[in-house]
Amino acid sequence: MAAAQAEVESSLNAHSAPGAAGTAVSPVAADAAAAAAAPTGSQAQVSKAALAAKLLSLSGVFAVHKPKGPTSAELLNRLKEKLLAEAGMPSPEWNKRQRQTLKLGHGGTLDSAAQGVLVVGIGRGTKMLTSMLSGSKRYTAIGELGKATDTLDSTGKVTDEKPYDKITREDIEGVLQKFTGNIMQVPPLYSALKQGGQRLSALMKRGEAVEARPARPVTVYSISLLSCQLPLFTLDVECGGGFYIRSLVNDIGRELSSCAHVLELTRTKQGPFTLEEHALPEGRWTIDDIARSLEHCTSLLPDELAFKKPKSEKCSDQALSYEYITLSETKRAEDATKTL
């Protein structure tokens, strides 16, 4: 370091010229000073190593804002890639730590066409995700009367069209009470439910035969009609786990002697996490931002939920599931996705 300083001082004495303020300015000195101030390769490695250590130490549950387009699993992969890139992993140093793993998981799938709150577990927080699945959720849904689709939303093919010109706002409000409380609901064919170990939605897309599922009990805590400009109507729905908004809108259309599908869907709340207050946008998917969010969100969860292993589900046919990705250095090219 002393040699570097001597070289800078020598350059200043030999090549300097008075500046506007009477101070000596030299291109050579400026270059040398910049080189001295820049972090060395070893310093950069130390910084990345510190970020990697911080990333691997994160444990808990937080929320991100899922946009329209990607599936929940694809979004989880995108989040993982951003965090690993920030921490400089995978790398040769990372590969030496054979026992280190990064666990990420989401609790409660959102349709690819939907947006809103997606709860994410990191580290030991993946064990807390089951509690997110059975808790209450809140949605804002825009339905369209007069058209039915095979997916029950705007991504599907139109399968039926019926008139809606005689339906009024009062008619819609009148049928909502029939869908409040403990009710029976038939889940959609395009769903995460499984047949032969594969999701019904995947089988449907491949044109394979799928058995319709029987109605099952679900809970709706509240429904309100926010706006009505037919054929569009907007609902605010708070429900329990396993409930499908697409099925609700489809059933409302039938109850009105017409048909309907979901045009837009936003999850505004999942458990204690709200879209406005807790969901991190993609621009804040950084190690530091997630660390701060984990610290803030810890206070939202009951003490008994903290890092306890979830009970296994007895029924494999339930829509309540979570996925997590485990990244291991020895198999870093493989993303193991596990559904419980």
Side-chain angles (χ1 to χ4, degrees):
M1 190 62 163
Q5 291 175 341
E7 183 178 348
V8 172
E9 292 174 358
S10 175
S11 299
L12 284 170
N13 293 332
H15 303 285
S16 63
T23 58
V25 178
S26 167
V28 176
D31 291 342
T40 63
S42 60
Q43 289 173 330
Q45 289 178 357
V46 170
S47 178
K48 288 294 185 181
L51 281 173
K54 184 173 184 178
L55 174 60
L56 293 173
S57 71
L58 297 179
S59 280
V61 180
F62 62 103
V64 297
H65 184 181
K66 177 196 172 301
K68 298 178 184 178
T71 65
S72 298
E74 289 169 348
L75 191 74
L76 202 66
N77 276 317
R78 185 187 301 177
L79 172 62
K80 177 202 66 177
E81 290 170 0
K82 289 177 73 71
L83 293 177
L84 293 180
E86 182 185 356
M89 302 186 294
S91 67
E93 290 76 19
W94 165 251
N95 291 334
K96 293 177 183 178
R97 298 192 293 274
Q98 298 296 323
R99 296 182 180 180
Q100 300 287 359
T101 59
L102 174 65
K103 279 188 177 181
L104 285 176
H106 70 76
T109 300
L110 265 178
D111 295 337
S112 58
Q115 61 181 336
V117 178
L118 184 68
V119 175
V120 176
I122 187 168
R124 291 179 297 154
T126 56
K127 296 180 179 181
M128 302 165 62
L129 292 174
T130 299
S131 63
M132 295 293 101
L133 300 169
S134 56
S136 67
K137 304 171 181 65
R138 194 166 185 171
Y139 297 87
T140 298
I142 300 178
E144 181 179 3
L145 285 169
K147 293 181 181 179
T149 69
D150 55 358
T151 60
L152 309 188
D153 65 14
S154 60
T155 65
K157 298 178 181 178
V158 176
T159 57
D160 195 10
E161 294 189 51
K162 291 184 178 180
Y164 59 86
D165 54 301
K166 295 184 179 180
I167 297 175
T168 65
R169 179 188 183 104
E170 289 71 24
D171 292 332
I172 297 177
E173 290 178 329
V175 303
L176 293 185
Q177 60 182 352
K178 296 183 179 181
F179 299 98
T180 304
N182 297 319
I183 63 173
M184 300 296 290
Q185 184 187 65
V186 177
L189 292 179
Y190 280 87
S191 69
L193 298 181
K194 291 189 175 182
Q195 176 178 302
Q198 298 187 57
R199 292 191 175 191
L200 298 184
S201 56
L203 296 174
M204 290 288 292
K205 290 177 182 178
R206 293 201 299 265
E208 298 185 24
V210 172
E211 297 179 4
R213 297 306 167 94
R216 60 186 188 176
V218 292
T219 301
V220 180
Y221 300 109
S222 65
I223 304 179
S224 60
L225 184 62
L226 298 181
S227 65
C228 184
Q229 295 180 332
L230 297 179
L232 306 182
F233 60 98
T234 303
L235 302 174
D236 178 79
V237 183
E238 186 170 5
C239 57
F243 186 82
Y244 284 91
I245 301 295
R246 287 179 290 137
S247 290
L248 169 67
V249 172
N250 179 70
D251 292 342
I252 289 174
R254 289 181 177 179
E255 192 68 26
L256 294 168
S257 299
S258 182
C259 54
H261 69 279
V262 172
L263 196 61
E264 291 187 18
L265 180 63
T266 302
R267 183 154 67 195
T268 58
K269 183 175 179 289
Q270 182 175 4
F273 301 94
T274 64
L275 180 59
E276 291 185 0
E277 186 176 356
H278 306 110
L280 295 176
E282 187 166 359
R284 293 181 59 197
W285 292 358
T286 67
I287 296 172
D288 286 341
D289 277 320
I290 290 175
R292 285 190 288 269
S293 183
L294 287 171
E295 184 177 357
H296 173 63
C297 292
T298 297
S299 62
L300 302 175
L301 301 172
D303 293 338
E304 61 268 20
L305 292 182
F307 304 127
K308 287 190 176 182
K309 187 175 182 179
K311 296 180 180 179
S312 59
E313 296 291 345
K314 294 181 180 180
C315 180
S316 59
D317 188 40
Q318 291 199 13
L320 305 185
S321 64
Y322 75 78
E323 298 174 356
Y324 71 79
I325 293 175
T326 302
L327 176 75
S328 176
E329 313 74 40
T330 57
K331 296 181 180 180
R332 64 183 184 276
E334 301 177 0
D335 290 332
T337 303
K338 185 175 181 180
T339 303
L340 300 183

